[in-house]
Each structure stands twice: as C-alpha cells, then as structure tokens.
Amino acid sequence: YQRRVHGDLNPITMFRGCSPCQAISHDVLNSLGLTLWIKREDLAHPEGCKWHKYNYFFDKLRRHHISTVVTFGGAYSNHLRAFASCANEFGIQSIGIVRGDELRNLPLNPSLQHAQMKGMKLFFVDREEYKLKENGALVQDLIASLGSTSHYVLPEGGSTAECVDGVADFVRATRKQVQSCDFFCVPVGTGGTLAGVVAGLRGEGTALGIATIKGGEQLSASVLKLLAEAGSPLPPVPQHNVNFHIATHLHCGGYGKTTPRLLQFIDAFSRSSGVPLEPTYSGKLIFGIFELALEGFFPRGSSLVAVHTGGIFPDSDSNRASNSSSVTIT
C-alpha cells in the first residue's frame, strides 16, 4: 500500500488480473450441463472490482487537479465504502450523501463506519431530497461551502463513462482466464458495471445482470446511456437488448433487503464452495444464477463467469447474515 500516486505506479493496476477464477462444481449446475466460474475479486481487495471501475475516473481527477468528490449512496452502499477507500489511496477528499435522515443520530453500520474511517465526510438527507441528488438544497449548500476548491459531483454508484472503460478492461482480462464464456454475470444497482461488461465483451457472449433493486426495468436505458457516453459500440439491436439481459425479478424485496430463502442459500453455498458471499450484491448474484438455471434460462452446455464484487469484511452485517443457519442447496 505504499506507492507513488502521481508517478508511474498506478494504485489500481496493481490489482488488475491478480484474482483467480474459481470453478464451481454443483449438482444443480451439473444436471443442467452448465459450467460456472466465480471471478474472486474479493481475494484481490476487500472492495473487489470497484478498483477497476474507478481506474480511469481517478486518472481524470488527477489530470484536472480535482481535490474533492461529492457522491451518493444508501446506508449499505458498496459504492460509498469502496469510493472512500479509493479516494483515501489517491489523497482525494470524499463526501458521501447518504439516503435516510433517520440514520443521522443512530450508530453507523459497518459499511458507513469503514467509509468514515477512510476519511469520507457523511451527510444524511431524507429520501425526497436524496432523489434530487446534486440539485438538493443540502448538496447545493455543500458545493457552495467548497468555494474555490476544485470538486466533482459523482453519480450514485460511480457510474460514469470512465467506469465503463475501466470495467471493460477488467472483463477482457478475465476472459483470458477461462476457456469459454457464454454469459458474463454481475449484480446491478445503477448499471455502470453492466455497461462496462457489455463494452468489454464486444458482442462475444451475453452480459447478464441480476438487479439488486426494485424497479430494475429502467436499468436497460441506463446501460445504453452509459455506453453512448463512453463511445462504446451499442448492441446490434439495442431495443431488444441483444447481448445483454437484466433479470429484474430476483431482488428479494429490493436493495439491501433479504429473504430467509436467500440467506439460507448464501449460507449453504458458502459452506459447500468455500466462497463467502454477502446478501446485497454477490449473494443475490449467485442466488439469481441458480434461480435462472432452474427456470431454464441458460441453454445446456453454457459456460458462465460470475464476478464476486467484494464487500466481505470480518465484522460486517453481511458476514454475520451469511453465517445464519446450515441448509442443503437443492
């Protein structure tokens, strides 16, 4: 972790390509003729593939001498925690606008504790103001208070054109680790990572997203918008989502929500595979893949790569959730 930020040593490229793809053998998959690899980004860094997502964005900040970034997220946001870590590495001041003013006087959960420990200043707003993002009164006051300080307002989830390029590089490197990849699978919150997967695949295989939020039907438009902003070639027939698909029915109640069935699956899968999962992103991703497999979504003989996006911390709520009860996967 001791490296020159502004020299020839990029903090992010040190992690690129160093995580393994773990083959998963399971009766359900075997019976359906499916091959599953999990890209273990949780082993590269606790923040997982977020480092790749932010790669070019931090290059942009450095080139334009921007010292402060304001961004947004929910109470259990992987984005806030991960961005705080990355900003700390690069010497950037981070400010997090957190959805839910009722949290202001409550103890911070492990995710927000981590963000604060990494230097992020947290401000809590009610849900109506949160919807306004940078147009909200509190954010406007914050920006005004920065005065002449160079700053940047980063969208929720960190989804920018630069993130598309960073994830695309990551996808191309990952594909070289496996023999074949018919479906490249990621959890979806805002669409930035999935857009990067589409760009990285270049039409070779299908980018599959498991929506972790309610109302995921709007995410396809977000993916296409980000691809256009990044200058990436659009799918051949965008209106039909030819080479990407978002499953919107597997969110288990919405963002940050769980069901007993999801938690039981996570516990059983983690025990049988040795892969720790958290229930917000990676847990819903693997759960969603198994559900889609049982629904007959994947043609027999398909090979799948699923990205473990990280977010595994020893004292996190997600870790405790995944150690609930032992249930056999059927």
Side-chain angles (χ1 to χ4, degrees):
Y1 282 95
Q2 303 207 356
R3 47 192 173 245
R4 296 200 311 278
V5 170
H6 299 298
D8 58 355
L9 196 58
N10 186 318
I12 296 174
T13 54
M14 295 186 67
F15 295 103
R16 195 178 276 168
C18 64
S19 68
C21 285
Q22 179 176 338
I24 301 297
S25 177
H26 192 278
D27 290 344
V28 170
L29 302 175
N30 296 340
S31 68
L32 296 172
L34 302 177
T35 301
L36 173 63
W37 299 86
I38 296 183
K39 174 66 169 169
R40 296 290 305 276
E41 281 295 285
D42 58 307
L43 298 179
H45 192 277
E47 308 305 346
C49 64
K50 290 288 189 181
W51 286 90
H52 304 279
K53 187 174 183 178
Y54 300 141
N55 189 4
Y56 293 113
F57 177 73
F58 277 97
D59 281 346
K60 175 181 178 179
L61 296 183
R62 179 170 57 84
R63 290 196 310 271
H64 294 279
H65 306 288
I66 294 172
S67 60
T68 302
V69 173
V70 180
T71 192
F72 308 84
Y76 290 91
S77 170
N78 271 11
H79 166 62
L80 289 183
R81 185 190 63 238
F83 188 82
S85 293
C86 295
N88 182 64
E89 291 287 331
F90 277 91
I92 300 291
Q93 174 62 64
S94 60
I95 297 174
I97 309 301
V98 185
R99 180 179 59 245
D101 60 340
E102 72 276 6
L103 304 172
R104 185 180 293 115
N105 298 318
L106 297 177
L108 296 178
N109 64 45
S111 185
L112 293 179
Q113 283 179 14
H114 180 83
Q116 189 177 71
M117 181 183 69
K118 292 297 182 178
M120 177 173 277
K121 296 180 180 178
L122 301 174
F123 294 87
F124 298 87
V125 299
D126 63 52
R127 282 159 172 75
E128 290 305 311
E129 180 160 349
Y130 185 85
K131 292 177 182 178
L132 300 175
K133 298 299 189 291
E134 64 270 23
N135 296 317
L138 185 142
V139 176
Q140 288 292 309
D141 289 344
L142 273 175
I143 292 174
S145 71
L146 294 174
S148 59
T149 303
S150 57
H151 66 274
Y152 188 97
V153 179
L154 179 65
E156 183 179 28
S159 295
T160 63
E162 291 81 14
C163 93
V164 173
D165 294 333
V167 174
D169 285 352
F170 163 72
V171 170
R172 287 190 281 270
T174 301
R175 289 201 68 187
K176 295 177 181 178
Q177 295 180 267
V178 297
Q179 294 177 342
S180 64
C181 175
D182 299 307
F183 294 86
F184 200 103
C185 315
V186 293
V188 184
T190 58
T193 300
L194 184 63
V197 173
V198 175
L201 290 177
R202 296 173 175 170
E204 298 178 1
T206 298
L208 173 63
I210 304 297
T212 62
I213 62 171
K214 283 184 177 179
E217 295 76 16
Q218 307 300 318
L219 289 169
S220 291
S222 299
V223 170
L224 293 173
K225 180 174 181 290
L226 284 165
L227 286 169
E229 291 174 354
S232 299
L234 293 178
V237 189
Q239 65 268 33
H240 292 160
N241 295 343
V242 168
N243 71 330
F244 78 91
H245 175 81
I246 303 176
T248 60
H249 63 294
L250 299 164
H251 52 69
C252 298
Y255 179 76
K257 304 294 185 181
T258 63
T259 63
R261 189 158 174 256
L262 171 66
L263 295 180
Q264 290 169 358
F265 173 88
I266 288 174
D267 180 71
F269 183 86
S270 297
R271 291 175 186 272
S272 65
S273 67
V275 179
L277 298 174
E278 45 75 38
T280 306
Y281 292 101
S282 295
K284 285 186 180 179
L285 171 66
I286 305 302
F287 174 75
I289 287 173
F290 271 76
E291 290 293 293
L292 289 175
L294 293 170
E295 292 172 10
F297 177 83
F298 303 108
R300 179 172 288 274
S302 297
S303 58
L304 294 70
V305 173
V307 179
H308 191 311
T309 53
I312 300 296
F313 292 87
D315 298 322
S316 69
D317 290 342
S318 58
N319 245 18
R320 286 193 288 272
S322 67
N323 289 322
S324 52
S325 60
S326 177
V327 179
T328 302
I329 304 176
T330 58

